[in-house]
Amino acid sequence: MYLKFIKNIYHGRSEIKKATIFSIDIQPFGELILTCGQDWLIKIWNYGQKKLTEKTKGYRKFSKQFKCSERIFNQDELIEIHRGPVNIVRWAGDGKKFASGGDDGNIIIFEESQDPFKKRNWRPFLIFKSHLGDIVDLSWSSDCSFLASASLDRNVFVYNITQKNVLMKLSNQSFGVKGLAWNPHENFLTVQSDDGKVFLWNSFDWESQKIQDLRNDTKSLKTKKKIQLFKRLAWTVCGRFLLLPNNFWSKKKNAVLVFDLVQRFSKKISFIKNSSSVNSIRCSPRLYQKKNSGFIYSLSVFGSILGEIDFWKSGYPRIFFSIKNLIKKANYG
């Protein structure tokens, strides 16, 4: 495992006057990182050369399992096109385009264009103005043909990128939508609203296949309402487990909920966090195999508001590795 410390990525007009970063995403099969934040900007960063310090070299001698390296990231491009804070940026699975959404209600899709004066140049080729509220989450389908958006206006829109039009509007949610995710098999879209309900929309006829009320499933936690900026759920790459950032808690305890699709969401795993809430859940796009065994699993990471990172193997009843005090501020993902 490699731990990479990124020190020179920031938002704001300068490193002195920094602004909050709301989203970050790594280009699949590429060398670019997208960030967006409170300063209305989208920044594209490029990998630099590895820089091994004396401290890093000593750490490498100390441990063979975990290797630390520092990379210098250069700002490749700065895009100022939204008329408000930018809440979400997401690469398409092919790494050839990306989408952004913000408080202005606009969804902008960028593609790479050839410019003889620049090595890279990303230009907007598609803009959707369907939402009337803040856009807080975006999700690409596996084949990069469709894009779904979640907004505080209680609506979910699905866009056909190939035909450049709105495919479907989903509006059964009675509260603002805080997160959504495509199942890797693309058979349904999962939506999480602010009232504690998770909707499963069938992508073949766009009928509501299932509504999971998390308030009824977690009564033992003595839940109470609290406003959160984002609730970005995620699917494991195998398409079996649905991971939900904590929506419910009791006193100082928080919970991350994992539902099993094979069991039709009747079986769930709860990871109780004693001190910090989990704001970000990201899943590795790869499958892993245990040595000397045929067991195949996927890997997921939970990022908490107090700088804790937890690693979970799919199917395991508990977290197998944790890192504490890694950062000082919240991670939104």
Side-chain angles (χ1 to χ4, degrees):
M1 180 182 291
Y2 288 85
L3 302 179
K4 299 178 182 179
F5 296 94
I6 304 173
K7 295 183 178 181
N8 61 323
I9 287 184
Y10 66 93
H11 261 260
R13 296 295 177 177
S14 65
E15 293 191 32
I16 299 176
K17 297 181 179 180
K18 294 183 179 180
T20 303
I21 298 176
F22 286 149
S23 180
I24 183 170
D25 202 24
I26 301 175
Q27 183 185 28
F29 318 108
E31 300 178 338
L32 302 178
I33 288 182
L34 287 173
T35 59
C36 67
Q38 195 177 11
D39 55 359
W40 302 22
L41 300 177
I42 300 172
K43 292 187 177 183
I44 304 176
W45 305 84
N46 188 16
Y47 279 87
Q49 296 293 327
K50 284 185 179 180
K51 182 182 178 182
L52 297 180
T53 61
E54 293 298 327
K55 182 178 179 180
T56 305
K57 293 178 182 179
Y59 186 79
R60 282 195 168 189
K61 293 179 181 179
F62 176 76
S63 175
K64 295 182 180 179
Q65 291 182 339
F66 300 97
K67 300 180 180 180
C68 289
S69 64
E70 292 185 3
R71 282 186 180 269
I72 300 176
F73 288 81
N74 301 315
Q75 185 174 303
D76 202 45
E77 193 170 347
L78 186 147
I79 301 173
E80 186 174 5
I81 192 172
H82 284 275
R83 297 180 179 179
V86 187
N87 299 322
I88 182 72
V89 284
R90 285 292 181 261
W91 286 103
D94 56 6
K96 297 180 180 179
K97 51 185 174 289
F98 67 89
S100 65
D103 286 1
D104 57 1
N106 296 336
I107 296 175
I108 305 176
I109 301 175
F110 299 83
E111 67 177 359
E112 188 175 8
S113 63
Q114 299 297 329
D115 191 330
F117 301 101
K118 290 185 179 180
K119 293 183 180 180
R120 292 188 180 94
N121 183 30
W122 296 88
R123 65 177 184 88
F125 78 99
L126 200 55
I127 299 177
F128 294 107
K129 300 181 179 181
S130 306
H131 287 287
L132 300 177
D134 302 356
I135 297 172
V136 295
D137 201 7
L138 297 170
S139 181
W140 288 90
S141 61
S142 300
D143 61 355
C144 308
S145 299
F146 303 98
L147 177 69
S149 60
S151 173
L152 299 183
D153 63 3
R154 307 179 184 179
N155 295 321
V156 173
F157 283 91
V158 181
Y159 307 95
N160 189 321
I161 305 303
T162 304
Q163 299 181 4
K164 301 181 180 180
N165 60 7
V166 177
L167 177 65
M168 187 59 60
K169 176 183 177 181
L170 310 175
S171 56
N172 275 6
Q173 297 78 215
S174 57
F175 286 80
V177 182
K178 293 295 185 70
L180 79 172
W182 286 94
N183 182 273
H185 305 300
E186 296 183 17
N187 51 353
F188 53 82
L189 178 68
T190 313
V191 177
Q192 185 175 11
S193 64
D194 203 25
D195 61 347
K197 293 182 180 180
V198 177
F199 298 81
L200 275 74
W201 296 91
N202 194 322
S203 61
F204 297 103
D205 54 10
W206 294 110
E207 295 291 334
S208 181
Q209 182 174 343
K210 186 178 180 62
I211 300 177
Q212 192 80 17
D213 195 341
L214 301 183
R215 295 172 299 180
N216 297 332
D217 294 337
T218 54
K219 286 182 178 179
S220 60
L221 295 180
K222 298 180 182 179
T223 65
K224 53 185 178 180
K225 189 173 179 60
K226 181 179 178 181
I227 298 176
Q228 289 185 340
L229 186 58
F230 307 116
K231 295 181 181 179
R232 294 168 179 165
L233 61 165
W235 283 93
T236 56
V237 67
C238 61
R240 177 175 177 177
F241 296 98
L242 174 64
L243 293 81
L244 305 175
N246 55 289
N247 300 268
F248 308 100
W249 49 91
S250 174
K251 296 181 180 179
K252 295 183 179 180
K253 293 186 178 181
N254 304 271
V256 178
L257 304 180
V258 181
F259 287 90
D260 192 346
L261 177 62
V262 177
Q263 303 293 333
R264 297 186 177 182
F265 296 95
S266 61
K267 181 180 179 181
K268 70 176 184 295
I269 305 173
S270 300
F271 297 108
I272 306 300
K273 301 290 292 182
N274 293 324
S275 58
S276 61
S277 60
V278 174
N279 283 347
S280 178
I281 296 178
R282 301 302 292 268
C283 300
S284 173
R286 300 179 179 179
L287 287 173
Y288 302 87
Q289 184 174 4
K290 190 175 182 180
K291 289 184 178 180
N292 303 323
S293 174
F295 180 72
I296 298 176
Y297 62 91
S298 56
L299 186 64
S300 305
V301 182
F302 311 149
S304 72
I305 197 171
L306 294 182
E308 299 178 359
I309 295 181
D310 300 318
F311 296 83
W312 176 68
K313 294 180 180 180
S314 60
Y316 280 68
R318 60 179 61 89
I319 293 172
F320 81 98
F321 184 72
S322 297
I323 302 176
K324 295 184 178 181
N325 303 322
L326 191 62
I327 57 176
K328 296 181 180 179
K329 295 184 178 181
N331 182 3
Y332 295 112

